[in-house]
Amino acid sequence: MQVISSKDNELIKHIRKLKDKKYRDENNEYIVEGVKLIEEAVKENVKIKKVIICEDTTKTYEIPTNVMLEIAKYDCIYVTEKIFKTITQVTNPQGIMAIVEKETNNMEIDYTQDVIVVLDDVQDPGNLGTILRTIDSIGLTQIIVSKGTADSYNAKVVRSTMGAIFRIKIIEVDNLKETIKKIKKHHFKLMVTSLQTENSIYDIDFNKKIIVIGNEANGVSQEIQEMADEKAKIPMIGKAESLNASIATGVVLYEYVRQKLSK
């Protein structure tokens, strides 16, 4: 078994460069790290290009035998523990990562779904990852993100999706306003959350709706708010005036779930 021990190895340099968004975009690849995420990638038939394993991983990180048997079907590269520490992006690594190809096929919007979630410059990677996980949990299979939204293939985003990133089609658009206009032509109505309304999310019929989640600091941009067919707020009976973007998304989307289950 050949083990890479040099930080100047071309593959090692390539992995380190994949921490950069521009490089990820150029190579159409990103990094998946940890046992759970790699299990999910295998299960979802994601295109895994290489699996990188720390040579002492079975002693140090105790990767389950069934996982080792699965990843043996792929191109596996072993590295020393010292080298693995230079490429990992987590505090407590499990000694295994993979280079995965981004899904770029069929990036057309699916108009058959009841709701379409749109992110308007959501900045925090943790929020983005949690939103993707929430969307996956309610059976939606796509999300539209603005250019100003955090990169969906950032390592923190990928980890916080807990595998949802392999099931959600992420459609990044250059012009959010024009994209929303296009969706509205397919009989969808635009709903934005706003404090400047008396309507509650419980007053909204979540059927054929575009739901826009805004930037953490500034909310939904003014030009998108002006396009809204409906505005609604999340009722709060405490002293807090607003919710974290990912929690707000969960509250809104699970009202959609409640309505769907009650029909």
Side-chain angles (χ1 to χ4, degrees):
M1 177 181 75
Q2 182 182 5
V3 180
I4 296 175
S5 59
S6 171
K7 62 181 176 57
D8 295 321
N9 177 275
E10 289 303 316
L11 175 62
I12 300 304
K13 290 196 281 188
H14 176 65
I15 293 169
R16 283 202 296 264
K17 287 179 183 176
L18 284 171
K19 293 177 183 179
D20 179 68
K21 180 186 185 306
K22 184 178 178 182
Y23 192 76
R24 287 194 295 271
D25 290 345
E26 287 172 355
N27 288 273
N28 206 39
E29 296 172 345
Y30 63 104
I31 295 292
V32 167
E33 187 166 356
V35 174
K36 167 67 175 171
L37 277 175
I38 289 175
E39 276 188 294
E40 288 288 318
V42 169
K43 187 167 71 176
E44 298 298 329
N45 295 313
V46 173
K47 189 167 183 181
I48 298 173
K49 300 179 91 168
K50 285 191 189 310
V51 178
I52 298 90
I53 306 166
C54 179
E55 65 172 333
D56 292 327
T57 195
T58 51
K59 291 185 289 184
T60 312
Y61 306 104
E62 298 181 356
I63 295 175
T65 304
N66 66 307
V67 177
M68 293 298 286
L69 289 172
E70 280 297 325
I71 64 174
K73 300 171 186 176
Y74 298 90
D75 183 6
C76 294
I77 307 295
Y78 288 81
V79 302
T80 63
E81 185 173 4
K82 183 178 179 181
I83 292 299
F84 196 88
K85 285 179 178 178
T86 70
I87 56 176
T88 183
Q89 296 186 55
V90 299
T91 306
N92 297 303
Q94 295 179 320
I96 187 167
M97 66 172 63
I99 301 173
V100 172
E101 186 173 299
K102 282 184 184 180
E103 178 57 63
T104 55
N105 295 324
N106 186 25
M107 285 293 113
E108 293 297 314
I109 297 168
D110 178 5
Y111 297 106
T112 65
Q113 301 209 305
D114 296 328
V115 297
I116 295 175
V117 178
V118 175
L119 302 188
D120 182 9
D121 290 3
V122 170
Q123 297 286 298
D124 184 79
N127 279 340
L128 175 53
T130 304
I131 290 168
L132 288 171
R133 190 176 173 187
T134 301
I135 287 172
D136 185 40
S137 77
I138 68 169
L140 298 180
T141 58
Q142 66 183 347
I143 189 168
I144 294 170
V145 301
S146 66
K147 276 283 188 185
T149 295
D151 180 31
S152 302
Y153 300 97
N154 169 295
K156 185 176 180 181
V157 175
V158 173
R159 287 196 302 275
S160 58
T161 69
M162 296 294 287
I165 196 162
F166 306 132
R167 293 180 287 272
I168 302 297
K169 179 166 64 175
I170 301 163
I171 306 168
E172 185 178 297
V173 297
D174 293 318
N175 190 319
L176 199 55
K177 185 176 179 179
E178 290 304 313
T179 300
I180 289 172
K181 283 182 180 178
K182 178 181 174 184
I183 299 171
K184 289 179 79 170
K185 289 178 181 177
H186 290 262
H187 311 295
F188 280 80
K189 287 190 174 181
L190 173 61
M191 190 210 89
V192 301
T193 53
S194 172
L195 296 176
Q196 279 69 56
T197 180
E198 292 305 311
N199 289 334
S200 157
I201 59 167
Y202 307 124
D203 300 321
I204 301 295
D205 177 12
F206 284 90
N207 181 43
K208 291 297 177 184
K209 286 291 187 295
I210 309 163
I211 300 171
V212 180
I213 307 300
N215 175 274
E216 291 88 344
N218 304 310
V220 177
S221 61
Q222 188 61 37
E223 68 171 359
I224 301 300
Q225 286 199 43
E226 289 171 0
M227 297 173 66
D229 298 295
E230 295 173 292
K231 293 183 179 181
K233 62 184 176 183
I234 297 171
M236 287 181 280
I237 58 176
K239 292 184 178 180
E241 294 182 353
S242 62
L243 293 172
N244 167 283
S246 59
I247 292 174
T249 304
V251 172
V252 172
L253 291 181
Y254 270 86
E255 170 57 17
Y256 154 69
V257 171
R258 187 195 66 79
Q259 291 183 18
K260 194 172 179 68
L261 292 176
S262 67
K263 290 179 180 177

